Amino acid sequence: MGVMFNRTPEGLLDFRRFGGTKFHRTAFAGATTGQQLLYALDEQVRRFEVEGLVHKHEMWEFLGLVRDSDGNCRGIVALDCVSMRIEAFPAMSVMLATGGPGIVFGRSTNSVINTGTAASAAYQEGARYANGEFIQVHPTSIPASDKLRLMSESARGEGGRVWVPRARGDKRAPKSIPESERWYFLEEKYPAYGNLVPRDIATREIFQVCLMGYGVGGKREVYLDLTHIPRKELDIKLGGILEIYEKFVGEDPREVPMKVFPGMHYSMGGLWVDYAADPRHGTLDETSPRNQATNVPGLYAAGEVDYLYHGANRLGANSLVACLYAGKIGGPAMVRDGRDRGARLPPGDGAFAGAKKKWEMEFARLARLSGPENPHVIAEEMGDWMTDNVTVIRHDGKLAETDAKLQELAERWDRIGLSDRSSFANREISFVNQLRNMLVLARVMTRGAGRAPARGVPRRALQGARPREGGHGRKRASARRRELPQNDDRRAHRGWPADHLCGGEHVADSAAPAEVLRDRASQRLTGKLPPACPERSASTSAARTLRPPPLTGRSTSCPTDRARTSSRS
Amino acid sequence: MEVAKDPKTRDGRRTSPVVYDRACLEEVCGSCAMRVNGVARMACTALIDSLAQPVKLEPLAKFPVVRDLSVDRSSMFESLKRVKAWVPIDGTYDLGPGPRMAESERAYAYELSKCITCGNCLEVCPQVNDRSSFMGAAPISQVALFNRHPTGRMLAAERLDALMGEGGLDECGNAQNCVRACPKSIPLTTSIAEMFRATTAHGFRKLFGS
């Protein structure tokens, strides 16, 4: 399609290893493969535009679905971000390909437009959202106040070493700290893997070390050191990412160790989508209109906005494959659905006028908001709470507090005051609308994180027995846990087929009665669950953490956790 | 972000926040190009502590302003359509593996493929102005990129024809500002020189019908 991937000396495709893979299996284009794929797809869309096959509406923002009285999705309502005009677009089928929700966490490696607003709006209109709490946190990103920029795993692949000073709050320049006073904690704890432990383990260890106060200068940062590698070699192999670091931090990573910290990177969860199996051989039926279809008839989702393909943890480069594949099977499914089901529907004129009117009135109301609350402050608080409590380590008590905080923020949202009252290219009003959607999505993630038993990559700090009651999906998941050490994401990845994940209560369904949801949440988050593991939540002694753990990666678990797992297996 | 929280005028009065475009904040999307202290660059990589204070922000002058610092860069995307900046593929059946390619060729093409369509090269070009229809360096360099691609080459002649038409290569005045303004260090002037040579050869071929 136009992406020129790196080549072997024979001129064939070259392959690279990624974290968690044992084989060279990933084709790559320099250090920016995803970017190159994106450009190529953009170019192809431009070609289709010239051929008259695609009509692009740029600078329009999704507001909501148009659903007729039978619940069919008949199109969307969107906002022209320049003229602020609201329009309803009829369609036989609608595909959401709106990416991830990184900005719910305030700062992430995502673009600042990735607020998850479309997914949240669809969820509020009846689409199911699944596995919301499956959030991947990348171990090394460049901390900053505006956003987190990714520092690729290849920096460690090429020999980068992660360390912190052995003395807490050491103020010396990194180069003047002698070798004996540096704590290479990943190498000490995981001698076989060293700095190349799987992503979730590296993330947890870095987080833990900083919680214990060993972060660089007492802050939430650790050193990623490349300075022992010759300059020339660095420029050849890592030029691209080092340039990024240099541009944004203003320091030369070839001379000064980089300062990095884990950052929210990817949402494995998203809108629930279906697929159909071919009864003859059990594999995917590629001709089915159910592929990539949400539970709302006529609504599809593909890419990071869907929940499929990655289970509870994503491996490097898989999101690119997943979004290409979802598009490949989802596109034809939409065409078939439009032809078979969509074409038989009665004209839905009333629905369009109604949906348009609803959003016009809503935006007129937003434009009048003149309370004392500042939307940017609310967004910042939401991001801080979500990053602190719903990323790497999740304590039940903190999850309940976060849920309460999010409800408080939602109440404060009602008292927002706008500072921009213009009716032309008003970005603030669309931000305020997105903020409300983000708050809803944040609660979905927080309450998902509280479900029992805890699933997936992010660890939940638990102690004692988990509640035993529960439905079909929960039993399956807990049976599965017996054979899976919770911490070993490579095995967990293999063990989470999607059909086991869509049957239980973890599929947040906005159509469920509010009382049921509330009951579940209060059971889960308040009384029924035991307090957090004291050993992990309190500052663990350095000596314990220093002891090389067994290499199955259960190092940070508390003894009760370990005992329970062994008694089960 | 701190400014957006509490936007004020110079004399301390509350005002509306400045409208500007941004998405990735790491020089991938190309949307935050503006003039910072008079220099066309990406705002995301303009570190505030390395700039002379007070910082003066202006929208790019070669594009229609939407509001404040936000400009409409669609003219650039129209140019990319004119020069057919894509690889023509059918895609209705499995075409099998693509052609082999030398790694050195790939490595050079990679440099050209880093273009983020930010528009800084147009902003600094004296030939891009109200009285000319010059497309600027970015689309010309994209022709150099796609004419190198083993499959993209199939449209080489059509792309060269586009460069020889209105607003094409002929309007380049060799000021060479573009290559200095490019945030991704793309060898734009090298691409332009290469295209001059290719269009000349193409012109002769057309003239003598071979």
Side-chain angles (χ1 to χ4, degrees):
Chain A
M1 211 175 262
V3 179
M4 292 194 241
F5 290 103
N6 282 45
R7 299 288 165 157
T8 63
E10 303 93 336
L12 300 169
L13 288 180
D14 199 1
F15 296 105
R16 169 186 275 175
R17 266 184 68 189
F18 262 83
T21 62
K22 283 189 173 161
F23 299 99
H24 293 259
R25 61 165 203 174
T26 311
F28 59 101
T32 54
T33 313
Q35 196 178 327
Q36 293 290 321
L37 290 177
L38 175 75
Y39 292 163
L41 292 171
D42 194 30
E43 287 149 10
Q44 292 300 322
V45 172
R46 209 165 283 133
R47 175 166 76 98
F48 287 130
E49 267 186 276
V50 171
E51 290 172 10
L53 298 171
V54 166
H55 188 68
K56 246 191 327 203
H57 295 272
E58 282 181 312
M59 300 304 284
W60 283 77
E61 185 176 304
F62 176 90
L63 295 179
L65 303 173
V66 178
R67 294 188 76 176
D68 63 19
S69 49
D70 298 327
N72 294 297
C73 173
R74 307 296 297 266
I76 66 160
V77 181
L79 167 78
D80 181 343
C81 296
V82 177
S83 72
M84 306 307 283
R85 187 164 57 95
I86 287 170
E87 206 57 73
F89 292 85
M92 287 209 274
S93 307
V94 173
M95 168 81 82
L96 288 184
T98 49
I103 300 308
V104 168
F105 294 82
R107 288 173 298 279
S108 79
T109 62
N110 296 182
S111 286
V112 294
I113 51 175
N114 289 7
T115 56
T117 180
S120 174
Y123 162 69
Q124 291 169 70
E125 294 189 74
R128 292 198 285 174
Y129 198 89
N131 295 343
E133 82 277 25
F134 287 4
I135 300 294
Q136 183 173 64
V137 183
H138 196 282
T140 58
S141 68
I142 309 169
S145 61
D146 54 348
K147 80 161 279 192
L148 309 172
R149 294 172 183 93
L150 189 65
M151 181 43 62
S152 162
E153 215 160 34
S154 55
R156 281 173 292 135
E158 298 295 341
R161 303 179 75 187
V162 177
W163 63 277
V164 289
R166 282 195 186 271
R168 287 181 215 218
D170 196 329
K171 291 277 189 289
R172 286 176 290 174
K175 290 288 264 184
S176 67
I177 300 178
E179 203 64 10
S180 60
E181 291 172 41
R182 298 177 178 192
W183 183 20
Y184 294 95
F185 53 94
L186 287 178
E187 294 170 30
E188 275 182 37
K189 286 190 76 172
Y190 304 93
Y193 289 84
N195 293 290
L196 273 175
V197 289
R199 276 183 194 181
D200 61 320
I201 296 179
T203 293
R204 237 163 2 240
E205 295 298 342
I206 293 172
F207 206 79
Q208 190 69 24
V209 159
C210 291
L211 280 188
M212 285 155 56
Y214 286 95
V216 175
K219 286 195 286 190
R220 290 184 160 197
E221 285 170 357
V222 299
Y223 287 125
L224 173 54
D225 198 342
L226 293 164
T227 57
H228 54 287
I229 303 170
R231 236 188 136 80
K232 202 170 164 206
E233 195 183 326
L234 286 178
D235 282 337
I236 294 170
K237 289 185 173 164
L238 300 171
I241 52 174
L242 299 186
E243 235 168 67
I244 287 277
Y245 185 86
E246 204 168 359
K247 271 187 181 173
F248 286 99
V249 182
E251 288 175 349
D252 184 356
R254 302 162 197 87
E255 298 294 331
V256 186
M258 293 185 279
K259 283 181 269 190
V260 297
F261 190 72
M264 187 278 170
H265 186 47
Y266 190 88
S267 168
M268 278 75 74
L271 291 173
W272 178 87
V273 291
D274 202 0
Y275 63 84
D278 188 328
R280 283 167 302 173
H281 26 72
T283 52
L284 185 87
D285 175 7
E286 293 200 6
T287 61
S288 169
R290 289 308 301 156
N291 295 332
Q292 301 297 132
T294 69
N295 60 309
V296 176
L299 179 66
Y300 290 75
E304 191 174 342
V305 73
D306 78 31
Y307 92 116
L308 210 49
Y309 301 112
H310 305 298
N313 193 10
R314 184 182 69 84
L315 295 178
N318 275 7
S319 56
L320 301 173
V321 181
C323 82
L324 295 177
Y325 184 69
K328 189 182 161 215
I329 63 169
M334 284 173 76
V335 173
R336 262 176 230 113
D337 174 72
R339 208 173 44 204
D340 302 345
R341 187 193 54 84
R344 283 198 298 271
L345 293 173
D349 301 338
F352 295 109
K356 185 179 169 194
K357 184 91 191 140
K358 176 191 136 192
W359 280 105
E360 278 173 346
M361 282 165 63
E362 179 58 21
F363 265 67
R365 186 178 78 87
L366 294 181
R368 286 194 301 270
L369 288 176
S370 55
E373 292 287 348
N374 184 328
H376 301 281
V377 173
I378 293 181
E380 191 177 77
E381 286 186 34
M382 171 187 69
D384 289 346
W385 273 79
M386 292 298 287
T387 299
D388 288 347
N389 302 314
V390 199
T391 51
V392 184
I393 293 171
R394 300 165 171 187
H395 295 287
D396 286 319
K398 285 287 184 189
L399 289 175
E401 278 176 43
T402 308
D403 193 35
K405 179 71 185 180
L406 290 169
Q407 290 174 66
E408 178 213 312
L409 291 176
E411 271 168 37
R412 281 166 57 189
W413 183 91
D414 288 328
R415 299 192 297 276
I416 275 176
L418 290 185
S419 54
D420 190 349
R421 306 213 165 269
S422 137
S423 56
F424 186 80
N426 186 334
R427 302 278 165 88
E428 198 174 53
I429 193 164
S430 80
F431 175 72
V432 166
N433 176 53
Q434 293 190 21
L435 178 61
R436 175 176 47 190
N437 289 337
M438 282 192 272
L439 286 165
V440 172
L441 212 49
R443 279 199 78 197
V444 171
M445 292 170 184
T446 308
R447 288 164 72 167
R451 66 175 149 146
R455 298 158 169 87
V457 197
R459 293 290 302 276
R460 187 140 132 263
L462 283 173
Q463 189 184 27
R466 297 186 173 92
R468 283 279 173 192
E469 87 282 10
H472 187 55
R474 180 184 290 171
K475 273 185 197 156
R476 279 192 184 182
S478 56
R480 201 151 282 284
R481 277 178 56 78
R482 271 200 288 280
E483 60 206 53
L484 294 172
Q486 186 184 1
N487 212 4
D488 190 339
D489 68 295
R490 285 155 301 159
R491 285 208 266 166
H493 186 76
R494 199 173 55 207
W496 292 97
D499 57 340
H500 286 202
L501 283 171
C502 59
E505 63 161 18
H506 50 275
V507 176
D509 192 342
S510 61
E515 316 85 72
V516 176
L517 284 176
R518 228 183 354 256
D519 280 351
R520 280 183 202 161
S522 60
Q523 267 182 13
R524 193 182 302 133
L525 295 179
T526 53
K528 300 268 171 91
L529 284 177
C533 166
E535 200 174 334
R536 198 176 320 123
S537 56
S539 57
T540 323
S541 75
R544 196 187 88 81
T545 322
L546 270 169
R547 200 167 52 229
L551 281 172
T552 48
R554 292 196 51 85
S555 61
T556 53
S557 63
C558 55
T560 48
D561 243 348
R562 204 172 298 150
R564 193 175 58 249
T565 310
S566 55
S567 73
R568 274 181 180 184
S569 52
Chain B
M1 265 160 226
E2 291 303 312
V3 175
K5 251 190 237 170
D6 189 18
K8 284 202 169 71
T9 61
R10 193 157 45 178
D11 40 9
R13 282 204 314 272
R14 205 172 151 71
T15 181
S16 56
V18 173
V19 172
Y20 65 105
D21 290 317
R22 80 270 183 268
C24 73
L25 301 187
E26 48 187 295
E27 283 193 356
V28 174
C29 72
S31 66
C32 69
M34 59 181 75
R35 279 191 292 161
V36 180
N37 284 344
V39 180
R41 60 185 296 181
M42 305 311 296
C44 61
T45 38
L47 303 181
I48 197 81
D49 52 8
S50 60
L51 297 171
Q53 307 283 343
V55 180
K56 186 178 177 192
L57 299 177
E58 295 161 287
L60 294 184
K62 303 288 171 74
F63 302 95
V65 172
V66 176
R67 188 180 157 184
D68 298 343
L69 297 168
S70 169
V71 296
D72 177 3
R73 294 177 301 138
S74 52
S75 64
M76 243 188 324
F77 302 106
E78 291 305 314
S79 299
L80 290 176
K81 288 180 189 165
R82 266 178 61 202
V83 300
K84 301 188 196 307
W86 54 72
V87 171
I89 45 166
D90 176 32
T92 49
Y93 63 96
D94 186 359
L95 299 170
R100 293 191 184 201
M101 193 190 303
E103 170 62 15
S104 56
E105 180 71 1
R106 198 278 321 162
Y108 186 78
Y110 181 71
E111 294 304 312
L112 303 182
S113 73
K114 292 198 290 195
C115 178
I116 58 176
T117 335
C118 59
N120 283 324
C121 57
L122 274 70
E123 177 70 13
V124 298
C125 179
Q127 301 296 105
V128 176
N129 57 49
D130 293 346
R131 284 156 304 178
S132 105
S133 54
F134 183 42
M135 61 175 66
I140 296 172
S141 187
Q142 289 293 299
V143 174
L145 168 66
F146 286 101
N147 282 6
R148 273 168 190 279
H149 189 282
T151 314
R153 208 169 277 154
M154 311 287 168
L155 291 180
E158 289 174 53
R159 291 197 196 96
L160 294 177
D161 282 337
L163 285 189
M164 289 159 77
E166 173 87 24
L169 206 48
D170 202 30
E171 316 243 358
C172 172
N174 242 325
Q176 308 197 9
N177 289 351
C178 51
V179 71
R180 288 163 63 188
C182 179
K184 306 308 279 184
S185 310
I186 299 171
L188 292 169
T189 44
T190 314
S191 288
I192 292 173
E194 188 188 324
M195 288 301 104
F196 267 124
R197 185 178 186 280
T199 45
T200 306
H202 180 63
F204 274 117
R205 269 198 299 273
K206 276 177 74 169
L207 189 62
F208 297 112
S210 62

